[in-house]
Amino acid sequence: MSGEEDEDGDWVDVHHSSDEEQEEVTEKVQSMPEEERQAKAAAVSMSRLLTQDDFKKIRLAQLAKEVSSAPGKNQKRKIVDSDDESRGEVLSLRNIERLHKKPKSDKETRLATAMAGRTDRKEFMKKRTKLNPHASSTNKEKKKNKSFMMMRYSQNVRTKNKRSFRDKQIALREALIKKKKLQR
C-alpha cells in the first residue's frame, strides 16, 4: 500500500549533498577579505586547467553582471574609470576588450594631427631631375604625359605588344645600362 501512496503524484524533495557543499564554499569565500580572495583566485587559475563548462560558467557570470548593471553611456564610462583606480593590478574585462568607443576629438585636435602629418610630405614629392629648371621638356618626356588612348595606334606601341618576353628583357637591360651611363 505504501507504493500506491507514492504514485499519487506528490512531489518529494530529494536532498543533495553537493548543494550544501556549494553553499558552504560560497559562505567561506564571502567571509574572506577581498585581497585574500584575489590571491586565492589567482593561485587556483594558475594551477588548474579550465574546461569548457568552466568557460561557459564564466561567460554566463559576465553576461549576468553586464545585464544587471546596464546604465546609460555616460554612466558606463564613469564606472569604468572608477574601476581602474580601485583595483590596482587586476584588469577588468572592459579594459581588455575595449567595448566602448574612443571619445570624439574636437576640431582643434583633428586639425593639429592633420597638420602634423603634413610636415614630412617633402619625402614623397617627385624629385626634379633637370639640371636647369627653366629648360623645356624633351619629346620623350612629352610622350610620357600623353594619354594612352592617343598613343595606342602609334607604331611604337603596336610593336611593343608583339615583342617576345626575351626581347622585352633585353630592351629593359639596355635601358638600365643607358640610364646608368647618363647618371655618371
Side-chain angles (χ1 to χ4, degrees), residues 21-66:
E21 289 173 8
Q22 273 189 334
E23 289 173 9
E24 289 173 11
V25 169
T26 52
E27 287 173 14
K28 283 181 185 177
V29 169
Q30 288 175 351
S31 65
M32 295 170 107
E34 182 80 23
E35 296 161 353
E36 198 174 317
R37 266 192 269 170
Q38 286 180 352
K40 194 167 186 177
V44 168
S45 64
M46 291 287 205
S47 63
R48 94 172 223 224
L49 297 173
L50 298 175
T51 63
Q52 290 299 322
D53 295 331
D54 294 334
F55 284 118
K56 282 181 186 175
K57 286 178 186 176
I58 292 169
R59 270 190 231 113
L60 287 173
Q62 287 172 344
L63 286 173
K65 196 185 219 181
E66 280 186 20

Side-chain angles (χ1 to χ4, degrees), residues 152-175:
R152 186 167 122 180
Y153 299 107
S154 72
Q155 189 65 31
N156 289 341
V157 172
R158 281 186 279 161
T159 55
K160 211 174 195 180
N161 286 337
K162 292 178 186 174
R163 286 191 303 179
S164 68
F165 177 72
R166 181 71 183 143
D167 291 338
K168 289 178 186 176
Q169 225 177 9
I170 292 167
L172 178 64
R173 185 178 60 219
E174 287 173 359

Side-chain angles (χ1 to χ4, degrees), residues 64-82:
K65 196 185 219 181
E66 280 186 20
V67 169
S68 65
S69 62
K73 277 188 180 178
N74 293 337
Q75 292 174 352
K76 244 187 218 176
R77 286 196 181 144
K78 288 176 187 172
I79 291 169
V80 169
D81 293 340
S82 64

Side-chain angles (χ1 to χ4, degrees), residues 117-168:
R118 290 181 187 174
T119 56
D120 301 331
R121 296 302 293 176
K122 301 244 184 214
E123 300 170 13
F124 305 107
M125 298 287 287
K126 186 178 176 186
K127 293 170 181 76
R128 301 285 290 179
T129 54
K130 280 186 188 177
L131 297 175
N132 184 1
H134 302 294
S136 61
S137 58
T138 62
N139 286 339
K140 239 184 191 178
E141 288 172 341
K142 287 177 186 172
K143 271 186 189 176
K144 284 182 186 177
N145 293 333
K146 275 192 178 178
S147 68
F148 176 73
M149 293 306 284
M150 268 176 127
M151 298 298 295
R152 186 167 122 180
Y153 299 107
S154 72
Q155 189 65 31
N156 289 341
V157 172
R158 281 186 279 161
T159 55
K160 211 174 195 180
N161 286 337
K162 292 178 186 174
R163 286 191 303 179
S164 68
F165 177 72
R166 181 71 183 143
D167 291 338
K168 289 178 186 176

